[in-house]
Amino acid sequence: MAIAIYPGSFDPITNGHIDIVRRARKLFPKLYIAVVANPHKSPTFTVEERVEITKTALIEAGINGLEVISYDGLLIDCAREHGADAIVRGLRANSDFEYEFQMALTNRDLAPEFESVFFMTAKKYSFLSSSTVKEICMYGGDVSTFVPRSVEAALKKKLQTKK
Ligand code: ADP
């Protein structure tokens, strides 16, 4: 049984991420969603908040059989700890490619036992990112087509009370 790990900032999770999770679940009976504690981007939500928001959003999306975890440090160490075979990532427009390519090759140098697997974005989510959603929400725009309701509520609470 192949085990996969889908790492990311998930700051917060969007429908684009959820689409990748839904499709990855079909190939990998065991899938970990791994929220990175200290991404280089300084996150809007704490790691604990991101884990909670992600768990709730995936329940809302009706996707079962997942485990949401967090990690600090090297992804490959987390992947080893959880007995993963594959690392799942999503690819949007061209801009993702360079970064993902570099990460995948670096991870292969460090840990050749893991295969990086890429899922092409759905057309309707190809320009969707957590940062876009946050920007729209901060200025009072409607993000209901981009994130589940629970995420929308968390975003409003965090960003609209901050102003
Ligand atoms: P990171 O900071 O590790 O890139 P993100 O949460 O931004 O974390 O993204 C995690 C993964 O999900 C990345 O592989 C990214 O390309 C992918 N991803 C993010 N948004 C989308 C989307 N709309 N469609 C497909 N893949 C996406």
Side-chain angles (χ1 to χ4, degrees):
M1 180 176 100
I3 300 175
I5 187 162
Y6 178 21
S9 312
F10 302 105
D11 188 38
I13 189 166
T14 68
N15 290 341
H17 293 117
I18 292 172
D19 177 57
I20 301 293
V21 171
R22 210 184 285 284
R23 287 152 58 206
R25 260 302 272 124
K26 291 187 189 155
L27 293 185
F28 300 103
K30 178 83 192 167
L31 180 65
Y32 291 97
I33 315 298
V35 180
V36 62
N38 288 314
H40 33 268
K41 319 162 182 173
S42 61
T44 301
F45 293 96
T46 66
V47 65
E48 293 81 12
E49 287 170 334
R50 285 180 281 135
V51 166
E52 273 318 300
I53 293 169
T54 302
K55 279 184 184 166
T56 309
L58 291 169
I59 292 170
E60 193 182 332
I63 310 173
N64 307 311
L66 300 170
E67 218 174 303
V68 182
I69 56 172
S70 63
Y71 74 99
D72 207 352
L74 287 181
L75 165 66
I76 52 159
D77 289 335
C78 175
R80 276 194 185 121
E81 199 182 309
H82 290 86
D85 305 289
I87 296 167
V88 164
R89 296 282 289 176
L91 281 179
R92 285 164 294 185
N94 278 346
S95 52
D96 278 340
F97 182 77
E98 281 293 322
Y99 178 72
E100 296 294 343
F101 188 57
Q102 188 187 348
M103 285 286 295
L105 293 190
T106 306
N107 282 333
R108 190 182 300 157
D109 274 347
L110 294 172
E113 69 269 34
F114 302 122
E115 201 56 59
S116 292
V117 178
F118 297 92
F119 286 80
M120 201 61 74
T121 185
K123 214 195 277 177
K124 61 180 172 179
Y125 301 135
S126 55
F127 291 103
L128 179 56
S129 67
S130 303
S131 42
T132 309
V133 171
K134 284 185 280 190
E135 199 159 331
I136 297 170
C137 183
M138 201 181 298
Y139 295 108
D142 177 15
V143 294
S144 61
T145 55
F146 305 133
V147 294
R149 292 183 97 85
S150 56
V151 178
E152 185 181 357
L155 276 165
K156 282 185 176 157
K157 194 170 161 208
K158 176 74 87 174
L159 299 174
Q160 295 182 355
T161 49
K162 237 186 183 180
K163 284 205 292 180

